Amino acid sequence: MKNKRVIGVDLGGTKILAGIVDEEGTVHERVERPTVTTSQGALLDELADLVRSLPQDDVGAVGFGIPSRIDHEHGIALGAVNIPIRDVPFIDEMHRRLGLPVEMENDASCAALAEFTLGAGRGANDLLLLTLGTGVGGGIVAGGKLFRAYTELGHMVIVEGGEPCQGACTGHGHVESYCSGRAADKLAVKLLGAGSTARDLVEQKHPALAEVGRHLGVAIGSLVNIFGSTRCVIGGGYGVAAFDLLVPAARRAVLSEALAPSGAELEIERAALGADAGLIGAGLVGFEAL
Ligand SMILES: [Zn+2]
């Protein structure tokens, strides 16, 4: 059988994960490298190099999950917060380098699609996914379909005039300013001293994480009011590790902010596909290019 597999690529703020994905969403061979952040050209070359390092047998397309706003109409990656991507005709650039059909989607939308299809979102028709990693990403499945828009849910304002956001973002009081792994790293240094990280806060079950959970719940409650999500999946390395410490306070905030009875009915689940969600979702998106 030809072209029953694709290559999925999950471009993150700190690492790039690529693998062969079959129609069932199973990941076969995989590779991982640190994200090149020196320049856009170097990053695109690195992505192509990583794809070529995988076996190409029966591979019919490549799907990319990238932490960027995307102009689907023109195939352009508009801009990322934590990596050097800006106004690049990403589909054309990667097609030229790889000679294979290419599709792309926002990385957190990829994770949402994967969790919806194969993971913690199965059975839900209206899913909200938030990934708490280097930054905060978000994806929405509405009425059983992936909502293909910017979905930069991490850059929603939850505290007007609040903490400055990070990377290329000039905003203040965004979800990412409070609920990202980097925000937790900063909080750890402030509370526990130089050299401390988010990991220390989680290991100590630090009470300050309840405040982070409250911020997260305010964001979730607002998003439920907009999208009518009935299940919320929390992913990302930091989100999964800190899940049990964030959710009780998050749930209280959701109950207060979401219009009844949505808050009480909302299920909040830990992501089930782990670090593979973005990669699998990128693969599922890649199948659309076949
Ligand atoms: Zn922001």
Side-chain angles (χ1 to χ4, degrees):
M1 292 290 257
K2 281 282 171 202
N3 294 345
K4 288 295 181 192
R5 312 201 306 172
V6 298
I7 290 174
V9 183
D10 179 23
L11 171 56
T14 52
K15 65 175 189 241
I16 313 168
L17 211 60
I20 308 278
V21 180
D22 68 22
E23 284 179 309
E24 314 285 295
T26 305
V27 181
H28 299 272
E29 296 86 347
R30 69 174 70 214
V31 280
E32 181 182 327
R33 279 188 207 167
T35 304
V36 172
T37 53
T38 46
S39 73
Q40 179 162 279
L43 176 57
L44 297 182
D45 288 342
E46 179 75 4
L47 288 170
D49 195 49
L50 198 61
V51 168
R52 281 192 294 259
S53 76
L54 286 160
Q56 308 284 307
D57 321 315
D58 300 339
V59 167
V62 186
F64 288 89
I66 58 178
S68 168
R69 283 162 291 130
I70 288 170
D71 173 350
H72 282 291
E73 190 183 350
H74 302 102
I76 293 170
L78 293 169
V81 173
N82 295 306
I83 54 166
I85 279 189
R86 191 172 175 80
D87 295 328
V88 59
F90 189 87
I91 299 274
D92 287 350
E93 288 285 337
M94 297 318 292
H95 177 68
R96 186 170 63 75
R97 284 171 171 81
L98 297 167
L100 284 167
V102 169
E103 183 57 280
M104 67 172 161
E105 186 46 86
N106 173 271
D107 60 342
S109 288
C110 287
L113 181 61
E115 291 288 347
F116 172 73
T117 311
L118 299 157
R122 270 184 302 182
N125 212 35
D126 293 286
L127 178 74
L128 159 66
L129 173 126
L130 289 170
T131 59
L132 317 184
T134 310
V136 172
I140 298 282
V141 174
K145 285 211 161 62
L146 183 66
F147 183 63
R148 302 191 77 162
Y150 288 178
T151 57
E152 289 284 6
L153 308 184
H155 299 279
M156 181 171 74
V157 177
I158 51 172
V159 180
E160 188 181 354
E163 295 289 322
C165 201
Q166 58 189 27
C169 181
T170 57
H172 290 77
H174 292 184
V175 184
E176 187 160 311
S177 314
Y178 299 92
C179 303
S180 63
R182 268 194 196 156
D185 285 341
K186 269 195 218 164
L187 187 62
V189 169
K190 193 171 135 195
L191 295 172
L192 305 173
S196 301
T197 66
R199 188 183 297 265
D200 298 308
L201 290 179
V202 172
E203 277 175 4
Q204 295 182 19
K205 299 185 168 41
H206 200 286
L209 289 172
E211 181 64 6
V212 177
R214 190 180 69 79
H215 284 299
L216 182 65
V218 167
I220 294 169
S222 299
L223 291 165
V224 165
N225 287 341
I226 297 168
F227 293 104
S229 316
T230 55
R231 192 176 302 168
C232 172
V233 172
I234 305 293
Y238 168 58
V240 167
F243 183 85
D244 291 331
L245 302 163
L246 299 177
V247 165
R251 178 160 292 287
R252 283 192 294 278
V254 170
L255 279 170
S256 144
E257 303 304 334
L259 295 167
S262 310
E265 290 174 357
L266 181 76
E267 302 168 290
I268 304 179
E269 305 279 347
R270 195 192 308 252
L273 301 176
D276 275 351
L279 171 57
I280 293 168
L284 296 175
V285 162
F287 275 104
E288 293 178 14
L290 279 179

